[in-house]
Amino acid sequence: MSTTDDSFSVTSESLAIQKTSLKDKWWHIMDTWKVGIIPLPLFLLAGALIAIDCLGGKLPSDIVVMVATLAFFGFACGEFGKRLPIIGKLGAAAICATFIPSAMVYYGLLPDVVVESTTKFYKSTNILYLYICCIIVGSIMSMNRTTLIQGFLRIFFPMLCGEIVGMLVGMGVGLMLGMEPFQIFFFIILPIMAGGVGEGAIPLSIGYATLLHMDQGVALGRVLPMVMLGGLTAIIISGCLNQLGKRFPHLTGEGQLMPNRSNGDEQAPAAPAFSGKTDVTTIAAGALLAVLLYMIGMLGHKLIGLPAPVGMLFVAVLIKLVHGVSPRLLEGSQVVYKFFQTSVTYPILFAVGVAITPWEELVHAFTINNLLVIVSTVSALVATGFFVGKKIGMHPIDVAIVSCCQSGQGGTGDVAILTAGNRMSLMPFAQIATRIGGAINVSVSLLVLGNFLV
């Protein structure tokens, strides 16, 4: 009797071990096999559900379905870019997440229902601005106050020097290639530094249409490809700078412009996410803080014309400097920043690639002369930022990555460039480089062009 009981006990233990083993294997797959941040089983399930909707001829553009759709395609493209040999470490993930969808749309490889739903969702929700405001507020709130002040005061000088040197080098290369000076400056160099599409290329095309008596569509068609190629060059350079920082750590602050020389009364950069004091309500309050600051920025845009992200940025800096929010809420903002950085970046880039990145324009501008002028301009701008930043006591690689954003495609370009450089905490400075620098370039250049033609 006892022998039978013993054997039954052994058998039960073996079955329990086997069941536990199967459970553990499944949990291991869920926790370690991932595409981006998505566990492989959930990734496959998302793909199957999206395929079913596509076969049915309709993919809803509501936020529930689009979260799954953008995550599926965005992380798939990003993961593909990360796994490419050599260039996978040079920003290929951000490039693939943006330009593979654009090419797929152009060549008809992406189902029409996906394209239509993604475009409708992106343009109707302005989700990019939610992303940017959470990134800006979270990164500012996590900065050391002294470093923040010094960074904002000093960043303008390397930016200015970089633009001057970049323009001179670009003009020189273009002239050596036999190109017309007017064409070089106004249709290649200026679009690169104009601050993207909405704040740069479109105002430029309107100005050119008025001053040069040409159709705005024609002007935009000539300007837009240069913006895209300049942004692509900046993404690649940013990825290279990230690798340079890993090889020479003394050249980088890993997302901080200034060496941390606080007096001890300041906390150094932010407390770790989920330190034990951050609960769900605090995280929700941190997200609401970012949204409300953006609404203040929108109000400022209506009143004085300052771009909403820049207005929000200045208000966030002011709140940080006067200790306007508690340390606990600061940590909640940082958790929101971390969430958007890790979970929303590649889905956003996929939506950008589908909705507003015209592949055919990029291909048509791919000429040797254009490429040489663009690469030399952006490289000179970034190199100048690097050496000037180093000369005035800033971390040169981080300054150079901000300089890359002077050649980006606006807010979307900033996201791609900082993702490639693994420096998303530099978003506040990137917005200054893109929005303010671009607006100044466009305004001054159109003013000079108008006086020149009179």
Side-chain angles (χ1 to χ4, degrees):
M1 184 71 180
S2 60
T3 305
T4 305
D5 290 342
D6 289 343
S7 59
F8 178 77
S9 175
V10 171
T11 304
S12 299
E13 290 177 3
S14 300
L15 288 174
I17 293 172
Q18 185 177 5
K19 288 181 180 179
T20 303
S21 178
L22 290 174
K23 178 189 68 176
D24 289 342
K25 287 180 180 178
W26 174 248
W27 286 357
H28 177 75
I29 292 173
M30 291 287 286
D31 291 340
T32 58
W33 294 15
K34 296 183 179 182
V35 178
I37 65 165
I38 309 175
L40 183 59
L42 297 185
F43 180 82
L44 296 176
L45 176 61
L49 294 173
I50 293 168
I52 291 172
D53 281 339
C54 291
L55 292 173
K58 185 178 181 181
L59 183 69
S61 60
D62 59 77
I63 191 169
V64 175
V65 176
M66 293 314 301
V67 164
T69 303
L70 299 186
F72 176 80
F73 287 106
F75 284 112
C77 293
E79 192 71 22
F80 174 79
K82 287 180 181 178
R83 294 182 179 276
L84 291 175
I86 302 177
I87 61 173
K89 297 181 179 180
L90 303 179
I95 295 172
C96 290
T98 307
F99 292 102
I100 286 180
S102 176
M104 292 176 70
V105 171
Y106 180 71
Y107 294 112
L109 301 177
L110 203 61
D112 291 339
V113 290
V114 175
V115 176
E116 293 169 5
S117 298
T118 301
T119 303
K120 181 180 178 181
F121 174 77
Y122 179 82
K123 293 186 176 180
S124 64
T125 60
N126 277 337
I127 190 172
L128 176 66
Y129 291 102
L130 174 64
Y131 176 90
I132 289 176
C133 75
C134 289
I135 291 291
I136 287 178
V137 173
S139 55
I140 286 178
M141 296 305 169
S142 66
M143 286 184 187
N144 175 281
R145 288 175 68 252
T146 304
T147 303
L148 179 63
I149 297 171
Q150 293 176 345
F152 273 104
L153 291 177
R154 295 194 188 187
I155 191 60
F156 290 98
F157 185 60
M159 283 170 49
L160 176 62
C161 293
E163 288 199 351
I164 294 173
V165 174
M167 289 178 180
L168 292 175
V169 171
M171 284 295 296
V173 172
L175 292 173
M176 289 174 58
L177 295 171
M179 302 172 70
E180 296 181 2
F182 187 87
Q183 164 72 17
I184 299 168
F185 183 80
F186 287 101
F187 286 94
I188 300 181
I189 295 176
L190 183 58
I192 294 174
M193 303 181 185
V197 179
E199 296 83 1
I202 293 177
L204 269 183
S205 66
I206 295 173
Y208 290 169
T210 302
L211 297 174
L212 302 177
H213 307 290
M214 61 190 302
D215 184 81
Q216 185 192 347
V218 174
L220 184 61
R222 292 177 62 181
V223 166
L224 188 58
M226 306 308 164
V227 176
M228 295 175 62
L229 285 176
L232 177 60
T233 304
I235 294 170
I236 295 172
I237 292 177
S238 180
C240 294
L241 287 167
N242 182 40
Q243 293 303 308
L244 183 66
K246 292 180 179 179
R247 187 168 183 178
F248 301 101
H250 65 283
L251 295 176
T252 179
E254 291 295 335
Q256 293 192 39
L257 291 178
M258 302 294 302
N260 189 8
R261 298 167 182 164
S262 56
N263 298 327
D265 58 329
E266 294 286 343
Q267 283 186 330
F274 296 109
S275 64
K277 299 179 180 179
T278 307
D279 55 21
V280 174
T281 58
T282 305
I283 297 170
L288 182 61
L289 173 65
V291 171
L292 293 177
L293 290 182
Y294 185 75
M295 292 178 68
I296 294 174
M298 292 174 64
L299 182 62
H301 177 67
K302 291 179 181 179
L303 295 176
I304 60 176
L306 189 68
V310 177
M312 174 194 66
L313 187 155
F314 289 150
V315 175
V317 170
L318 178 62
I319 290 175
K320 173 70 176 181
L321 295 182
V322 301
H323 300 285
V325 292
S326 66
R328 190 170 182 179
L329 188 54
L330 293 181
E331 189 176 348
S333 297
Q334 189 204 10
V335 174
V336 174
Y337 158 77
K338 291 288 186 183
F339 169 78
F340 274 83
Q341 179 188 15
T342 57
S343 304
V344 186
T345 298
Y346 291 113
I348 283 285
L349 291 177
F350 171 80
V352 166
V354 170
I356 61 171
T357 306
W359 178 259
E360 64 275 18
E361 299 288 351
L362 182 69
V363 173
H364 291 160
F366 236 91
T367 66
I368 295 298
N369 284 358
N370 286 345
L371 283 176
L372 289 175
V373 173
I374 291 170
V375 172
S376 61
T377 300
V378 178
S379 299
L381 187 157
V382 175
T384 303
F386 181 97
F387 289 110
V388 172
K390 184 177 181 181
K391 189 71 175 177
I392 62 177
M394 306 176 78
H395 292 299
I397 287 179
D398 302 274
V399 175
I401 290 177
V402 172
S403 298
C404 287
C405 295
Q406 294 177 259
S407 307
Q409 291 179 250
T412 58
D414 290 344
V415 174
I417 290 167
L418 297 180
T419 300
N422 195 28
R423 300 289 193 285
M424 194 60 73
S425 58
L426 294 174
M427 179 62 82
F429 304 101
Q431 287 290 298
I432 288 178
T434 302
R435 310 286 181 177
I436 296 181
I440 292 174
N441 288 336
V442 171
S443 301
V444 172
S445 299
L446 289 178
L447 183 63
V448 171
L449 180 61
N451 291 330
F452 176 76
L453 294 175
V454 171

